[in-house]
Amino acid sequence: MTRPDAGYGRPARLWRALDRARPPLPRFRSPLRGPWLTSLLGLVLLVGLPIVVVTGLLDRVAYGAAPIPADVGFLQLPPFDWPTSPAWLFRLTQGTHVLLGLVLVPIVLAKLWSVAPKLVVWPPARSVTDALERATVLLLVGSILFEVVTGVLNIQYDYVFGFGFYAAHYVGAWVFTGALVAHVVLKLPLMVRGLRSRSLRAELRTPTSGSEDDPDSDLVATDPRPATISRRGALALIGGGSLLVAGLSVGQVLDGPLRGTALLLPRGRTTAAADGGPNDFPVNRTFVASGIDPAATGSAWRLELSGAGAVRLDRAALAALAQHTVALPIACVEGWSTEQSWTGVRLRDLAALAGVPEPVAAVVGSIEQGPFARAELHAGQVLHPDSLLALRVNGADLSPDHGFPARVVVPALPGVRCTKWVRTIEFRSVR
Ligand SMILES: Nc1nc2c(c(=O)[nH]1)N[C@H]1C(S)=C(S)[C@@H](COP(=O)(O)O)O[C@H]1N2
Ligand SMILES: [Mo]
């Protein structure tokens, strides 16, 4: 004989057992939570985060080929030649990536706060579709936190991760993008409905707001505490947090005394010579840190060009070639940037000297060993009339920290490829 509830017995018992096993979950009782606030924060992130992702992916293309950043297999974007014009292009894309990424952190945290009742539910999933939906949320939350933490650590004083950072942050960005697309597809109608449920204008005029939110939403507290802050106040707090972050970061892209205000980003504030002189601008790696033997940059230094033939030039011979002066930015992948006036020999003149007037690429070698030992430039970067092997900056010889005897500066080239302490340049006529 079968029992009448045979079909339901097992699941019902399972639910009861799960209910009994319910861990002591926190109760969320703020009356501010509800579809409207969550949707508003969601909308801001839906506009802002794709900009952070796209500028990040563009920076990756600008950066060029391995070894830094490391190979990422099938996730590699189709490479294209990063433009050389406008000269501030990388300054803009990377500055936006880092600044906007930081400014959105308070909003990401507020959004997570606003959906907290949905993040900790028991049982974790009630059906297969529910489980799938929750898996995308888990990936979304996990990847955004991962991107924030790795990004913030990387722009602090030193590379915390070595060069594993670039691959990790990049793969994390793709995980986030996939999860975001799924999340938007699933939640867009809810977001639109949530936004329509209140008027932003009315909310901004309301000094206190109680809990009169949609009682059907599982974001809304069932036993709310009295409000201690209005929705207007909450928005001011979140927006104020973002403004504060912006105010303490934006200095890293400004030249002059305002640079000192970038308190959250010490790397962009560290200058080599704090003397107000021509070489007093941010330095990435100092000469001492490079580990280069000082004798290697002294009178024994020669620039070695190769191409159709080999040419060796000492610094006096380089200085005797036609010199060009141009204002170009150094824009670091960590987000700081500066514009300086550089003087030196055009790379295309050096290419001609090496017997390769129409190179398809150039490989620049540094005296320094390690990840900066060589950097490849594409034809457009070599042939641009503003692309220089700089000997001087702001009218003075380069300081050891900024790459003496000679360094590369190329319009729109990421700072990381503007090799300092150059020793060799190989001009290639075939790829
Ligand atoms: N040889 C060498 N070149 C280098 C670096 C380096 O560490 N070693 N740092 C690069 C990075 S990441 C940046 S942002 C710029 C910074 O130039 P600066 O230190 O003169 O401001 O130099 C680039 N050239
Ligand atoms: Mo950099």
Side-chain angles (χ1 to χ4, degrees):
M1 268 262 283
T2 49
R3 297 201 344 250
D5 64 343
Y8 311 97
R10 242 166 240 277
R13 248 179 286 148
L14 179 66
W15 289 131
R16 272 200 300 276
L18 273 173
D19 260 343
R20 275 196 301 276
R22 178 192 184 86
L25 297 176
R27 286 198 189 287
F28 298 98
R29 298 182 56 196
S30 167
L32 298 186
R33 284 199 187 85
W36 182 77
L37 188 62
T38 293
S39 300
L40 185 63
L41 298 171
L43 178 64
V44 174
L45 295 178
L46 185 57
V47 173
L49 285 175
I51 298 176
V52 178
V53 172
V54 169
T55 50
L57 295 180
L58 284 176
D59 295 345
R60 172 92 188 185
V61 173
Y63 215 125
I68 12 166
D71 190 24
V72 283
F74 74 95
L75 281 179
Q76 193 63 51
L77 288 169
F80 61 87
D81 284 352
W82 184 249
T84 48
S85 162
W88 42 262
L89 183 63
F90 186 76
R91 200 178 185 189
L92 178 73
T93 53
Q94 183 60 17
T96 303
H97 179 72
V98 172
L99 260 179
L100 188 57
L102 287 171
V103 162
L104 292 179
V105 170
I107 301 172
V108 167
L109 296 179
K111 174 87 172 9
L112 290 177
W113 173 86
S114 83
V115 296
K118 294 208 66 177
L119 295 181
V120 276
V121 290
W122 191 264
R126 297 198 165 270
S127 66
V128 176
T129 34
D130 192 29
L132 284 175
E133 194 251 38
R134 296 190 58 79
T136 64
V137 170
L138 194 70
L139 283 177
L140 189 70
V141 174
S143 60
I144 190 73
L145 292 180
F146 180 81
E147 292 301 270
V148 165
V149 170
T150 53
V152 166
L153 286 179
N154 190 59
I155 55 185
Q156 290 310 306
Y157 202 72
D158 231 326
Y159 297 106
V160 192
F161 305 93
F163 287 98
F165 164 76
Y166 296 99
H169 199 66
Y170 181 78
V171 173
W174 279 115
V175 173
F176 173 74
T177 303
L180 180 66
V181 168
H183 189 66
V184 169
V185 166
L186 290 170
K187 302 287 185 174
L188 197 63
L190 267 183
M191 187 186 90
V192 173
R193 215 182 315 145
L195 285 171
R196 288 208 179 122
S197 68
R198 282 172 187 280
S199 135
L200 175 62
R201 236 198 258 169
E203 213 56 51
L204 291 181
R205 283 205 223 97
T206 312
T208 52
S209 24
S211 172
E212 75 253 50
D213 226 315
D214 175 4
D216 289 338
S217 164
D218 38 14
L219 293 173
V220 176
T222 44
D223 51 346
R225 263 198 296 259
T228 51
I229 185 175
S230 64
R231 287 196 188 81
R232 172 173 84 174
L235 291 180
L237 198 66
I238 301 163
S242 283
L243 278 180
L244 186 69
V245 171
L248 295 179
S249 307
V250 71
Q252 73 162 347
V253 301
L254 305 173
D255 285 314
L258 284 177
R259 184 172 292 276
T261 62
L263 295 178
L264 293 182
L265 299 154
R267 290 181 70 108
R269 284 189 296 133
T270 317
T271 58
D275 59 0
N279 276 278
D280 186 9
F281 58 92
V283 66
N284 176 265
R285 179 176 302 183
T286 60
F287 180 68
V288 170
S290 74
I292 296 173
D293 175 3
T297 61
S299 57
W301 178 83
R302 299 287 181 277
L303 175 70
E304 294 173 22
L305 304 176
S306 57
V311 181
R312 282 164 68 90
L313 300 161
D314 64 13
R315 202 163 182 282
L318 269 173
L321 298 174
Q323 303 290 304
H324 293 274
T325 297
V326 58
L328 282 181
I330 291 279
C332 182
V333 290
E334 270 88 51
W336 64 263
S337 56
T338 179
E339 187 178 276
Q340 305 295 333
S341 175
W342 309 92
T343 301
V345 184
R346 282 178 169 151
L347 290 180
R348 67 181 191 193
D349 291 352
L350 295 176
L353 210 59
V356 191
E358 300 280 338
V360 297
V363 180
V364 179
S366 176
I367 308 172
E368 187 189 1
Q369 294 308 297
F372 295 94
R374 55 188 295 283
E376 188 167 329
L377 304 175
H378 63 67
Q381 290 167 334
V382 180
L383 295 174
H384 194 286
D386 289 343
S387 298
L388 301 182
L389 182 68
L391 307 178
R392 298 163 69 78
V393 64
N394 302 318
D397 273 346
L398 292 171
S399 70
D401 286 331
H402 287 302
F404 183 88
R407 77 167 306 160
V408 166
V409 280
V410 168
L413 183 67
V416 66
R417 298 299 194 212
C418 295
T419 306
K420 304 195 280 191
W421 314 297
V422 171
R423 197 174 61 84
T424 59
I425 308 179
E426 177 196 343
F427 295 99
R428 296 192 171 160
S429 45
V430 284
R431 274 259 182 208

